[in-house]
Amino acid sequence: MTTPEPSDSFEPIPYDPVNPKRRLTSSERSSHRLQPYTRTSSTSGVVRNNSPSIGSGSFVSDNCGGQKEVKKLALKDLPQGERPAVKWARKRLVMDLLTTVVWPQNETDECRDAYLNEVLNQANSMFGTNVALTKELGILLTNPVSQFRNSLAEIAEKLVREFEIEPKDTTLSDEARKTYMQNRRLMLLDSSEANRWQYFLHGERVDGQNVTLLVFSNPIVEKIHINHLYGSPYTPLREQAFLKEITTTTLHMFSHVAAGVEYGIDKIVEDVIPSSTKKTWRFHGEIYASRQAYYMEAVTRALSLPIHKEALPARFLNLHHRGLHTLRTKLGLVGPEDPIYVPQTMQELTRPLYAGPSTSQPFLQSSSAVLPVPAQEEPYSYTSDLTAGGSSMAVHAHTSTTYYGPASDSQFGLYYCAPPDEDEGPQDPLNQGYSFY
């Protein structure tokens, strides 16, 4: 199959009102999910984007090659009627980072414009506008994407210090301090089998006399994840319409944060390495776009293994619930009640027969077992003969809070106990006096 040559003209993909959440198909979006390449070994701390494209690597262009700067466009420069559509499109681009789009690499202008036009056409259809894409508008649309990544970089650089990257010994020389930090980074980023207990993305849980490895569930990474995706003022999840699209932690969310955490580790270490260029380390696509793709592939592979396909989604769901609590707190909303727990693994659906969670007596599901008499919702008491010897048992419904069915069914439900019929004569002692309908 041959790939057609890109034409000079662009035909936007129309927005379908019947399917408002429609994104590009796999073949259409293939150019946006570009192949990852190996991590660069540069240690200069300087990453420059040599392409004039506004979308190459990070949707941010450097003014290189002596090219003229593009005039900066602000929202206030747009007509009043176009601003809502542009605002929505800006948020949509950020939201796509969490659901459908990975950090693009080596992206052509045609591919970038196709994607921006798709989102802009969707906004035009929603708001009844006819905003056309220009280079200046393209920069305005994608600025929040860079801002969102910068927010992650700042949060990560602050919280990754909990990995104890810097030595506690203040008497170390500068050279010894640098050596310690470099070795510490190597250990944290080493994803080999032998180093799995020290890898920065994994956590652990003590279970009695054993320690369980929690794959892709490190508490420091999770703290950065929640602070950035749910607590940041730049998160699109503050919009209810976008929040509804997220029901758990997505692969895009996890890999996006994982790349940012790796940057934070690199930044702390690189800052102590002397550089002749005096440039600071940047969270840039030339290094970290491929890292996001790497982390997404790793989690996808883990989810295909039986040992992780239940436990890992359960932890991702729990992470999302904790994030929602943070989000509601930031918005000043009443904190949600704890969600009804739904078992996530097969082990949680079974228990030993004689080890009930709330009773010391075994419950035998046998035809010979005598069912306990349930309480009614109305307080009352009665006495009934159970044996020919005249012994009796008093049942007091008001001593229990157990409730079976609505009040209208309380006298005729499954557990209604009918008095004995005196005309029937002697009955089986096990069932005498009570029958269940």
Side-chain angles (χ1 to χ4, degrees):
M1 178 179 179
T2 60
T3 302
E5 292 294 328
S7 60
D8 294 333
S9 61
F10 170 74
E11 182 179 355
I13 299 173
Y15 167 67
D16 182 9
V18 179
N19 186 11
K21 291 186 179 180
R22 185 263 185 195
R23 314 303 308 152
L24 290 176
T25 63
S26 299
S27 59
E28 293 168 341
R29 184 57 62 75
S30 61
S31 58
H32 295 281
R33 301 180 184 274
L34 302 175
Q35 299 298 320
Y37 48 85
T38 57
R39 182 181 181 185
T40 178
S41 58
S42 170
T43 58
S44 66
V46 184
V47 181
R48 304 296 289 174
N49 178 12
N50 296 323
S51 169
S53 166
I54 64 172
S56 179
S58 63
F59 286 131
V60 178
S61 175
D62 293 324
N63 183 30
C64 54
Q67 296 195 13
K68 185 178 180 180
E69 286 278 2
V70 177
K71 179 183 177 181
K72 186 175 181 180
L73 182 68
L75 275 171
K76 64 181 181 180
D77 299 327
L78 299 175
Q80 188 71 30
E82 295 182 354
R83 294 177 191 176
V86 174
K87 287 181 180 179
W88 181 91
R90 283 158 57 96
K91 294 176 182 178
R92 178 76 260 175
L93 290 174
V94 179
M95 187 64 192
D96 279 358
L97 296 181
L98 312 184
T99 55
T100 58
V101 176
V102 295
W103 204 338
Q105 304 170 61
N106 305 325
E107 188 178 41
T108 65
D109 291 347
E110 289 79 8
C111 292
R112 179 206 65 223
D113 290 345
Y115 173 49
L116 294 181
N117 265 290
E118 181 200 359
V119 174
L120 193 55
N121 286 339
Q122 187 174 353
N124 283 331
S125 180
M126 292 177 63
F127 293 92
T129 54
N130 191 27
V131 183
L133 180 65
T134 63
K135 191 165 188 176
E136 294 82 2
L137 181 60
I139 295 176
L140 178 63
L141 290 174
T142 56
N143 276 342
V145 174
S146 297
Q147 192 176 45
F148 190 61
R149 290 200 181 102
N150 288 338
S151 170
L152 170 59
E154 292 175 2
I155 295 173
E157 185 180 351
K158 177 181 178 180
L159 295 181
V160 295
R161 297 180 185 276
E162 297 182 22
F163 281 115
E164 299 181 352
I165 302 172
E166 299 168 291
K168 295 181 179 180
D169 189 352
T170 57
T171 64
L172 293 178
S173 65
D174 291 344
E175 188 64 28
R177 175 183 173 85
K178 181 177 67 175
T179 301
Y180 172 90
M181 294 176 67
Q182 289 177 317
N183 290 336
R184 179 64 176 163
R185 173 172 64 173
L186 288 174
M187 184 185 68
L188 288 171
L189 301 182
D190 179 6
S191 59
S192 66
E193 177 184 0
N195 194 62
R196 64 187 183 279
W197 293 98
Q198 306 296 330
Y199 188 49
F200 82 107
L201 289 180
H202 298 337
E204 58 184 44
R205 181 184 63 233
V206 178
D207 297 317
Q209 299 299 316
N210 299 316
V211 180
T212 301
L213 183 69
L214 302 180
V215 176
F216 300 125
S217 299
N218 183 279
I220 301 175
V221 176
E222 290 180 344
K223 182 187 297 186
I224 296 171
H225 180 104
I226 291 175
N227 275 270
H228 169 58
L229 295 177
Y230 298 89
S232 167
Y234 305 110
T235 177
L237 299 183
R238 287 174 172 252
E239 293 284 342
Q240 187 65 25
F242 291 138
L243 180 60
K244 291 180 179 178
E245 298 181 22
I246 300 293
T247 58
T248 187
T249 301
T250 67
L251 297 181
H252 292 77
M253 295 166 71
F254 178 86
S255 60
H256 165 76
V257 172
V261 175
E262 180 176 345
Y263 158 79
I265 296 172
D266 285 339
K267 179 68 164 59
I268 293 176
V269 177
E270 291 296 331
D271 280 353
V272 303
I273 300 177
S275 173
S276 59
T277 58
K278 305 299 181 183
K279 298 293 184 180
T280 57
W281 193 261
R282 298 172 58 195
F283 189 36
H284 200 285
E286 286 199 13
I287 291 179
Y288 298 102
S290 64
R291 301 306 292 167
Q292 180 185 5
Y294 172 75
Y295 294 129
M296 180 176 290
E297 179 185 355
V299 178
T300 301
R301 187 169 62 251
L303 291 172
S304 68
L305 301 175
I307 193 174
H308 300 305
K309 67 190 312 180
E310 289 185 341
L312 184 55
R315 294 199 297 271
F316 276 4
L317 180 61
N318 176 267
L319 177 60
H320 176 59
H321 286 160
R322 285 185 281 145
L324 290 178
H325 182 80
T326 297
L327 177 62
R328 287 178 174 269
T329 301
K330 290 289 185 180
L331 295 178
L333 302 176
V334 177
E337 297 181 7
D338 292 336
I340 298 174
Y341 181 73
V342 177
Q344 299 290 319
T345 64
M346 289 301 298
Q347 290 85 344
E348 294 178 286
L349 298 178
T350 59
R351 66 173 176 83
L353 181 62
Y354 294 101
S358 59
T359 177
S360 59
Q361 298 296 328
F363 180 75
L364 301 179
Q365 295 190 0
S366 169
S367 59
S368 62
V370 180
L371 293 174
V373 179
Q376 305 294 321
E377 72 278 9
E378 297 294 337
Y380 74 99
S381 62
Y382 64 88
T383 303
S384 176
D385 292 335
L386 294 179
T387 66
S391 62
S392 63
M393 179 184 72
V395 180
H396 302 280
H398 62 273
T399 62
S400 172
T401 58
T402 306
Y403 175 76
Y404 293 91
S408 60
D409 298 332
S410 61
Q411 301 301 317
F412 303 95
L414 175 65
Y415 295 103
Y416 168 59
C417 301
D421 189 340
E422 296 179 357
D423 297 331
E424 291 183 1
Q427 299 179 4
D428 185 342
L430 288 177
N431 295 321
Q432 183 176 2
Y434 294 90
S435 58
F436 293 87
Y437 296 97

